[in-house]
């Protein structure tokens, strides 16, 4: 690892394994994310990126190993996982908004039910966070009336309204049309500039290079390479990392994968 001496680890992962039946998706992950740090996790489909992220807040239960968030072991059988999850905001590939209520209600309902905030306070926080993501004028709209990019920004605002100490992003732009990606990434840049601790699974290499303090490249359920964004994305040391980035950054220059290519045979279960 990586975290500066004396830095407080907001996320600490030790010897993490995860298997689905006989398929081992994570094969001994050790990783720390310091408070205020932005870490982007990259790699081919099926490399275990999303599974790793989901193990942080126990949406997936590890097969072995330990995960700590803010010093609390979330893999401890006696942990109050709901209390830990209240400190974590998570944004998924799909927006997961309630279609039958307004944007503002999408933000106020979780606050009132989980945090027990009063209506007036929940509305105030909702409006503040909608303004923060540039959607103050959409409070009374319904999700179906928004573009995909706007819906994802609402999902980010909903997570922020819960007052998280760290944010997890699982491919937040993968379901968007290319022209809508920029607005979502702009919100994430704003959060990074504000000092939010962020762990981001992404294929957006320009975002990783520009915003991440550190980039982690995964393949086959293991961390192959990690380091400063400029080094891992700009001058990777490992041949597997170079091959992956060539295919991502300049697809026309790379050879088609063979029938037994790892990228072809990786299952979606280990995304």
């Amino acid at each position: 690892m990586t975290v500066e001496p004396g830095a407080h680890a907001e996320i600490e992962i030790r010897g993490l394994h995860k298997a689905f039946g006989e398929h081992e998706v994570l094969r001994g992950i050790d990783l720390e994310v310091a408070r205020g740090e932005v870490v982007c996790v990259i790699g081919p489909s099926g490399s275990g990126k999303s599974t790793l992220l989901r193990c942080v807040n126990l949406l997936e239960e590890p097969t072995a190993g330990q995960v700590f968030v803010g010093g609390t072991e979330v893999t401890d059988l006696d942990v109050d996982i709901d209390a830990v999850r209240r400190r974590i905001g998570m944004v998924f590939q799909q927006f997961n908004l309630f279609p039958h209520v307004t944007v503002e209600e999408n933000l106020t309902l979780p606050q009132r039910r989980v945090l027990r905030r009063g209506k007036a306070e929940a509305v105030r926080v909702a409006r503040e966070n909608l303004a923060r993501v540039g959607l103050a004028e959409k409070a009374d709209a319904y999700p179906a009336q928004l573009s995909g990019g706007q819906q994802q920004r609402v999902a980010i605002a909903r997570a922020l309204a819960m007052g998280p100490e760290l944010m997890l992003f699982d491919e937040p732009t993968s379901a968007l049309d290319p022209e809508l990606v920029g607005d979502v990434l702009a919100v994430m840049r704003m959060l990074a500039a504000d000092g939010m601790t962020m762990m981001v699974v992404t294929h957006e290499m320009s975002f990783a290079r520009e915003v991440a303090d550190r980039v982690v490249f995964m393949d086959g359920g293991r961390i192959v390479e990690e380091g400063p964004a400029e080094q891992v994305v700009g001058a990777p040391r490992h041949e597997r990392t170079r091959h992956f980035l060539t295919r991502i950054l300049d697809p026309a220059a790379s050879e088609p994968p063979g029938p037994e290519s790892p990228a072809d045979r990786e299952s979606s279960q280990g995304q």
Side-chain angles (χ1 to χ4, degrees), residues 144-224:
Q145 297 172 311
L146 306 180
S147 70
Q150 289 172 331
Q151 290 186 60
Q152 190 63 291
R153 286 152 64 195
V154 170
I156 294 173
R158 179 177 60 184
L160 292 174
M162 304 297 285
E165 297 173 15
L166 66 105
M167 291 283 289
L168 308 177
F169 292 88
D170 186 8
E171 295 280 13
T173 60
S174 66
L176 302 179
D177 291 334
E179 68 269 22
L180 303 178
V181 168
D183 289 341
V184 173
L185 295 181
V187 170
M188 295 172 66
R189 289 186 182 95
M190 176 268 293
L191 293 178
D194 288 347
M196 176 66 75
T197 305
M198 297 164 60
M199 190 170 172
V200 184
V201 171
T202 185
H203 283 299
E204 298 290 340
M205 294 302 111
S206 60
F207 175 83
R209 192 167 189 170
E210 174 190 345
V211 178
D213 298 298
R214 192 153 40 98
V215 171
V216 173
F217 173 68
M218 290 183 63
D219 188 37
R222 296 185 173 92
I223 293 176
V224 176

Side-chain angles (χ1 to χ4, degrees), residues 13 15-20 23-29 46-56 60-64 67 218 220-223 269-271:
I13 298 167
L16 189 67
H17 290 257
K18 175 61 182 178
F20 295 97
H23 178 51
E24 192 172 21
V25 177
L26 299 178
R27 304 180 182 186
I29 300 294
S47 59
K49 308 182 301 295
S50 292
T51 300
L52 173 62
L53 203 69
R54 292 170 66 88
C55 283
V56 171
E60 294 289 356
E61 187 171 344
T63 305
V67 178
M218 290 183 63
R222 296 185 173 92
I223 293 176
Q269 203 170 31
Q271 283 285 318

Side-chain angles (χ1 to χ4, degrees), residues 68-256:
F68 298 82
V69 173
T72 299
E73 184 183 353
V74 302
T75 43
D76 187 328
L77 293 177
D78 295 325
V79 72
D80 183 350
I81 190 60
D82 291 332
V84 175
R85 286 174 177 157
R86 284 195 288 271
R87 299 164 55 188
I88 304 171
M90 187 157 186
V91 178
F92 299 89
Q93 298 178 27
Q94 302 300 325
F95 321 125
N96 297 328
L97 300 178
F98 302 123
H100 59 288
V101 299
T102 66
V103 164
E104 185 175 281
E105 289 172 308
N106 265 278
L107 271 68
T108 58
L109 287 173
Q111 294 182 66
R112 299 186 68 186
R113 292 180 180 177
V114 177
L115 302 180
R116 303 300 182 188
R117 285 178 179 157
K119 181 177 180 180
E121 175 70 1
V123 168
R124 181 187 66 79
V125 172
R127 290 178 179 175
E128 284 180 356
N129 283 286
L130 285 173
R132 197 175 179 189
V133 301
L135 292 173
E137 77 285 359
K138 298 295 185 180
D140 295 326
Y142 285 84
Q145 297 172 311
L146 306 180
S147 70
Q150 289 172 331
Q151 290 186 60
Q152 190 63 291
R153 286 152 64 195
V154 170
I156 294 173
R158 179 177 60 184
L160 292 174
M162 304 297 285
E165 297 173 15
L166 66 105
M167 291 283 289
L168 308 177
F169 292 88
D170 186 8
E171 295 280 13
T173 60
S174 66
L176 302 179
D177 291 334
E179 68 269 22
L180 303 178
V181 168
D183 289 341
V184 173
L185 295 181
V187 170
M188 295 172 66
R189 289 186 182 95
M190 176 268 293
L191 293 178
D194 288 347
M196 176 66 75
T197 305
M198 297 164 60
M199 190 170 172
V200 184
V201 171
T202 185
H203 283 299
E204 298 290 340
M205 294 302 111
S206 60
F207 175 83
R209 192 167 189 170
E210 174 190 345
V211 178
D213 298 298
R214 192 153 40 98
V215 171
V216 173
F217 173 68
M218 290 183 63
D219 188 37
R222 296 185 173 92
I223 293 176
V224 176
E225 183 169 354
E226 65 174 300
E230 186 61 33
Q231 178 250 301
V232 174
V233 179
R237 296 171 181 159
H238 198 283
E239 175 59 32
R240 182 65 186 97
T241 315
R242 289 195 292 270
H243 177 70
F244 169 77
L245 289 170
T246 296
R247 295 185 66 186
I248 292 292
L249 298 173
D250 189 9
S254 60
E255 296 180 1

